[in-house]
Amino acid sequence: MSSPAAPVFQVALPLPLPRLFDYAAPDDRPAGADEIGRRVRVPFGPRELVGVVAAIDPPAPDAPALRAILDRLDDRPLFHGELLDSLRWLARYTHAPLGEVLATALPAALRRGEALPDTHAWAWRLTEAGATALPRLRNGTRPRRLAERLREGERDEDALDAWMDDWRTAARALAKRGHAERVAVPASQLAPAPQPGPVPNEEQQVAIDTLRAARGFAPLLLDGVTGSGKTEVYLHAIADCLARGRQALVLVPEIGLTPQLLARFRARLGVPVHASHSGLNDGERARTWAAAWRGEARVVVGTRSAVFTPLPDAGLIVVDEEHDGSYKQQDGIRYHARDFALVRGKALEVPVLLGSATPSLETLHNATTGSRYGYLRLSHRAGEAKPPAVRIVDVRKRPLEAGLSAQMFDAIRAALDAGGQVLVFKNRRGYAPVLLCHDCGWSAQCPRCDSPMTVHAHGRRLQCHHCGHRKPAPPACPDCASLGLQPQGAGTERIEEVLAAKFGAGSHPDVPVLRIDRGSTQRKDALETLLAGLGARPGILIGTQMLAKGHDLPNLTLVCVVGIDEGLFSADFRSHEKLAQLLIQVAGRAGRAQRAGEVLLQTHHPEHPLLATLIEGGYHAFAGDELAQREAAGFPPLAHLALLRAEAKHAEPPMAFLHATRTALRDSGLALDLNGPMPAPMPRRAGMHRAQLLLSAPARGALHAALDAALPAIHALPDARKVRWSLDVDPVDLY
Ligand SMILES: Nc1ncnc2c1ncn2[C@@H]1O[C@H](COP(=O)(O)OP(=O)(O)OP(=O)(O)O)[C@@H](O)[C@H]1O
Ligand SMILES: [Zn+2]
């Protein structure tokens, strides 16, 4: 306990309570403003928590005695300046506790209170003994080549990785004889050694020049068809940013961050590129964060949470595939990484480049109608590549095998005979979406969700894609004991089975048939290994949306798209946008190099206006129509939404809580459209009953004012304690 005349530390703790917590100073040291943004360890009830000092209050004479901070964890603030300001903004915008927002912005190791890790890079240099011994090393061997390389000067491990495979064995051989040694160097001292790329075409040059001329905050949409060389524009812009001595942050979607992409960035930019994604362990992620915080990391490439990277010398932020759904965090602090990147770019006064072949309607609206963003176009494919030809295959009344029509099989055969590769796209994992009893109509439902279980392992296993529940498939119908259980419909496994029988081992001529989805590529790099094994040979890839982007397969000449019809009739107002984006992105995998590409779209609804518009007018024709409909229906981007979700073991508490919430929002007196409460589109999931209340307003300000006014009352509702509830501002999925 402290004397009442000491300053009060207001600490942001990772707790779902919308307030800061008061503590006394840990010692007698005078508390200055630079305490703010440092992590501290504090007692909280019987526990200890790691929090961040958010404010220092002057001593209050009659304040109650406070518990004292246990430890200061940082010598200097981890959060300060722009990043702290932006995160405070994010807490206000998401109406979330600052402590939870700050915890979300930290890598797990730092959140737990570990020290900021050491971040020097490693380099190799030739010793004097090595220089003397060099002429005696056998010519052409790896150790000799490495020694020659090091004679030119110290080389960091990143540069060596890019230069020669397995240089480490050679380095160990040299080190064993004392000819070379490993030395720690500050990452910022590494000399860049960039490699040249293709000469930019006219449109790329315009984009590069626009970025070069940009001063201060400049949001720019780079709207370039698939294969148009957007990545080349990023690379030039990043190189310019590095040349000005600034840091660049590149955000990529979850499935876009491939080892190839990182290798391309490293080689072309000639500086170490720091990665940040969920495939890294806690230590690696904390190191990237720390290297950026120290200004040592000059280029950071990462997925959603990389948007929280500290950028003391920021020069540029790039958001690749800005329309991608993985930028939205779906639990905890529900931020949108693209939108937060724009907020940071504004505060940092740097350009923010949003790239996509299929921009989100939000971004497109800002770039066109509002002219709030600069608008750069790449209207044709780079180099020699031509756009793929898209054809609709009407399968009404046609026999199907694993969901594929005879016309598809013929086209696949023809593409393989011509020496090409084929991608069969089906956005459904597993063997079949439903197990049905042909005699009585029973189907296998998840016991915990309102959803059928997916058939896996060629019919042997059932798995719920919503809650993960698994069980063996029953041998007979549990209702009527019939043995007539049949998997209905087809997932990637079943398509693989049929294509392997027709084109795989044992047939003549036979080609590799590879399935690529979350089930087949759980191991890190499994996808790369599969694709490298295929090489340029004819072969068939069967994939979910994992294969829809980020991969450059030069020999891919045919893309077959099956099973899109559900997306045509979904209730979600964004379903058409998502489907259009997916179709264009998948189609964009075809014919990216010299060989022309073809895309076949199989459907029972060949006359559907979405398909007709996309094929005749392309993505922009679709987007124009869709924006008009959104405006008419009062949906984003022409209205602003927030979704209150609640769930509990029983059905009533979520509805009761949301009814009370509705009243609290009405009492705020602000004009809002309130829709609900109603059961969620999937009313029961993982054993929880779920309900929701949708808030909508023509202006953002009204929405936030109503929430600000009502949330204290909502937090205090007695019903709030009987449910798990959350608020999602700008929800992407309405379930
Ligand atoms: N100016 C150019 N001249 C020749 N080739 C180019 C040029 N720009 C890019 N390329 C090549 O074109 C291919 C596609 O480029 P890139 O990957 O940058 O496209 P993208 O627009 O990012 O593609 P997507 O969004 O479809 O993934 C690459 O192999 C790239 O090396
Ligand atoms: Zn389930």
Side-chain angles (χ1 to χ4, degrees), residues 446-451 453 463-469 685-687:
C446 176
R448 310 172 66 216
C449 304
D450 290 325
S451 164
M453 294 190 82
Q463 188 176 330
C464 173
H465 285 187
H466 301 287
C467 72
H469 184 71
R685 182 171 175 165

Side-chain angles (χ1 to χ4, degrees), residues 388-391 411 556-560 587 590-591 596-600:
V390 182
R391 247 184 331 126
L556 191 69
T557 54
L558 174 65
V559 171
C560 300
E598 186 179 22
V599 179
L600 297 181

Side-chain angles (χ1 to χ4, degrees), residues 699-723:
R700 237 185 247 296
L703 190 66
H704 285 279
L707 285 167
D708 280 332
L711 275 168
I714 293 173
H715 274 281
L717 286 172
D719 284 329
R721 278 191 295 277
K722 297 180 196 148
V723 299

Side-chain angles (χ1 to χ4, degrees), residues 198-201 204 225-232 264 321 382-383 552 589 592:
V199 178
N201 61 35
Q204 287 172 320
V225 298
T226 56
S228 58
K230 294 183 288 292
T231 312
E232 283 303 319
R264 182 170 170 197
E321 310 290 1
D552 223 351
R589 297 308 105 195
R592 287 169 68 92

